[in-house]
Amino acid sequence: MKLQRKNRLRATALGVIAVSSALALTACGSDNNSGGGTTDGTGGTASGAASNVKCDGAKGQLLASGSSAQKNAMDLWVKNYMAACKDAQINYKSSSSGEGIVAFTQGTVAFAGSDSPLNAQQVEDSKKVCTGGQGINLPMVGGPIAIGFHVEGVDSLVLDASSLAKIFSGKITKWNDEAIAKLNPGAKLPDLAIQAFHRSEDSGTTENLTKYLSATAKADWTYAPAKKWAAPGGQAASGSAGVAAQVKQTNGAIGYFELSYASSQSIKTVDINTGASAPVKASSANASTAIAAAKIAGTGKDLALKLDYATKADNAYPIVLVTYEVACDKGNKAATLPAVKSFLSYAAGADGQKLLTDASYAPIPSEINAKVIETINSLS
């Protein structure tokens, strides 16, 4: 009996060590709302595992980097893909859209994640690494940019484009400001200073938020849409995870980040008064309604989308982003091309897209997604 008990204790200890080791492996990055950073894909499969994935000879290490907005989706995709394709290792470094594009145009990663499509100069730069081709935008992840807030005693909050623009540009400085009170009749708004947080590095999330403000509050937001934060005041934090962490721990705070960060950390989010019949909540379904109205603005194999940030349609959440995987249409390295096509085909396919809603993202509309899959199959 003593020997059996010792064996059981030893097995328990080994289990604790194994779990601790796994947690340590996932805690070595800078922008993950669940404690991880660079994705290594270790561990078992999650809900919606890649049961039908086609590995198609994918093997070796595939390096990618960029958008932190898609980090939580990428975590699931990598875990499930690597469980099915044992010979391939996908390593996605979550940093920012700007850093991902730089890495792609320098040829250090096989593809990049970006919350904004390539601009003309970036396309030109990509031709140096895409032999005979160029970088193209493949929309892969949609979702709402949530406006998270932390005001003790306030459980729900409605804002519109004008009040958001004034808050983030420092023109509204107190939570009981008349403009906010008018949008929230009956709410007990405190005489508390607003602490607005924004991204410190170039960010596609920032660019999409400022595109929304520029399209809907021109009189109050006088800055051009850009990845780099331009408005005065406010406080900066690194990555979506950094902004979310500051909002969660600071009374009086407001910031912007993907809904998955708000959901996982129980951060309250703002409903947006768009002029629709009712204020619109930040949700995957409401983001899908807005993204479904997007038009393809790219040419050839490029599938960059034009979003309608000024929508007033019922249940259409206007502050949305689409994260693109940026890849070479031609001139991919022979060693990594099978893994690029296999992995992106899984992410864009039914199994990969099915994971997005549960992770607080929005799947790409089916009509656009069909073109994404067709384009991935044609990469060479």
Side-chain angles (χ1 to χ4, degrees), residues 284-300:
S284 296
N286 291 343
S288 290
T289 299
I291 294 170
K295 306 295 183 184
I296 294 177
T299 58

Side-chain angles (χ1 to χ4, degrees), residues 116-349:
S116 297
L118 296 171
N119 60 36
Q121 183 58 57
Q122 291 166 340
V123 171
E124 195 61 31
D125 292 342
S126 73
K127 294 178 181 179
K128 299 172 186 176
V129 295
C130 302
T131 307
Q134 66 179 50
I136 57 172
N137 303 287
L138 301 169
M140 201 72 67
V141 183
I145 300 174
I147 306 299
F149 72 96
H150 177 182
V151 181
E152 292 179 7
V154 178
D155 293 325
S156 62
L157 186 68
V158 175
L159 295 173
D160 59 10
S162 175
S163 56
L164 278 172
K166 291 176 180 178
I167 286 170
F168 280 113
S169 61
K171 297 172 185 175
I172 291 179
T173 60
K174 290 290 187 73
W175 278 110
N176 62 348
D177 187 275
E178 183 180 353
I180 301 176
K182 187 175 180 180
L183 290 163
N184 297 271
K188 295 181 179 179
L189 299 169
D191 182 14
L192 176 68
I194 293 174
Q195 299 194 52
F197 288 90
H198 58 262
R199 293 281 289 272
S200 60
E201 74 283 11
D202 287 4
S203 161
T205 310
T206 295
E207 185 170 18
N208 280 279
L209 172 67
T210 54
K211 281 180 178 178
Y212 163 74
L213 294 175
S214 294
T216 55
K218 292 182 176 65
D220 302 307
W221 188 262
T222 58
Y223 313 96
K227 289 185 172 70
K228 186 176 183 63
W229 187 259
Q235 301 175 61
S238 178
S240 292
V243 176
Q246 290 296 329
V247 172
K248 185 174 178 63
Q249 69 188 21
T250 306
N251 186 28
I254 188 169
Y256 59 94
F257 33 79
E258 295 67 43
L259 181 61
S260 61
Y261 290 89
S263 300
S264 65
Q265 298 186 46
S266 300
I267 298 172
K268 298 180 180 70
T269 61
V270 171
D271 296 347
I272 304 298
N273 183 338
T274 64
S277 62
V280 186
K281 293 185 178 298
S283 72
S284 296
N286 291 343
S288 290
T289 299
I291 294 170
K295 306 295 183 184
I296 294 177
T299 58
K301 292 184 178 180
D302 186 85
L303 299 176
L305 301 179
K306 183 178 181 180
L307 298 166
D308 181 10
Y309 296 99
T311 180
K312 294 182 180 180
D314 284 350
N315 302 314
Y317 185 80
I319 317 175
V320 294
L321 60 75
V322 170
T323 291
Y324 301 89
E325 309 312 332
V326 176
C328 294
D329 59 353
K330 297 178 182 178
N332 287 278
K333 295 178 182 177
T336 56
L337 179 60
V340 169
K341 295 178 69 172
S342 173
F343 176 71
L344 294 183
S345 292
Y346 160 59

Side-chain angles (χ1 to χ4, degrees), residues 65-66 93 95-104 108-109 112-113 201-202 238:
S65 69
K93 181 182 178 182
S95 50
S96 68
S97 298
E99 292 175 69
I101 295 302
V102 169
F104 177 74
T108 60
V109 295
E201 74 283 11
D202 287 4
S238 178

